[in-house]
Amino acid sequence: MNEAEFSKSIDCAFPYANREKVIELVDVALSISTNAVFMVLEEICRPPQSTGVAKETLSDLIDVWSERVDHPLARSVVPIARLMLEGTHLSVYEAEKAVRKIAPFEGQYSALNIAYFSCDDTDGSVETVIHEVRGRWEHS
């Protein structure tokens, strides 16, 4: 399975209520790529409102993810994911700072998404920084 297939397999089908299945998904993602691993975290911290999943359940799933993932970006991105669960937005400055921490890790698009959706980017400045990072990744 590649990243695109993995993404399709969890899109609109993430098993929020099944902890064991989420563990399996993290393990599958680990066998695919780091970006796939961050796809799982993005699903956890940005669930569709229609799921009705409790914050406590999502917090537990972040714990599960954190226990299984050993990557330098996790230290920066997991706290952001937790804030998102609480409905707390980062400032635009903090989100830009997070994007800059992610930038050296080429191809981590899902981590970038988490940083982007962590703030209310009304003036588009975070989006501009993200486009710059993606542009560098695509041209390297």
Side-chain angles (χ1 to χ4, degrees):
M1 180 180 296
N2 63 31
E3 274 187 21
E5 293 165 338
F6 182 75
S7 179
K8 285 180 186 176
S9 78
I10 63 173
D11 187 36
C12 299
F14 195 84
Y16 295 100
N18 188 335
R19 189 177 198 271
E20 294 306 312
K21 184 66 175 165
V22 172
I23 291 170
E24 289 175 26
L25 285 175
V26 172
D27 290 343
V28 169
L30 285 165
S31 73
I32 296 169
S33 69
T34 304
N35 189 49
V37 172
F38 280 97
M39 283 179 200
V40 174
L41 184 60
E42 183 181 6
E43 285 288 334
I44 294 168
C45 71
R46 297 186 55 228
Q49 289 184 350
S50 62
T51 63
V53 64
K55 285 182 186 178
E56 294 79 17
T57 300
L58 296 170
S59 181
D60 178 56
L61 295 179
I62 289 177
D63 291 343
V64 165
W65 188 93
S66 295
E67 290 166 5
R68 302 188 83 74
V69 176
D70 181 24
H71 190 277
L73 272 181
R75 289 188 300 268
S76 299
V77 179
V78 166
I80 296 169
R82 290 191 189 283
L83 287 172
M84 291 171 73
L85 285 186
E86 296 303 318
T88 303
H89 285 97
L90 293 181
S91 69
V92 168
Y93 172 77
E94 291 168 323
E96 286 177 358
K97 203 163 95 173
V99 168
R100 287 187 175 88
K101 284 184 181 179
I102 295 164
F105 298 91
E106 188 172 329
Q108 302 313 307
Y109 296 99
S110 291
L112 277 182
N113 288 344
I114 292 169
Y116 177 71
F117 288 105
S118 70
C119 73
D120 188 11
D121 187 28
T122 55
D123 68 356
S125 62
V126 177
E127 187 172 1
T128 299
V129 175
I130 285 177
H131 284 299
E132 290 170 9
V133 170
R134 287 182 177 165
R136 281 193 303 258
W137 289 350
E138 292 165 7
H139 293 104
S140 63

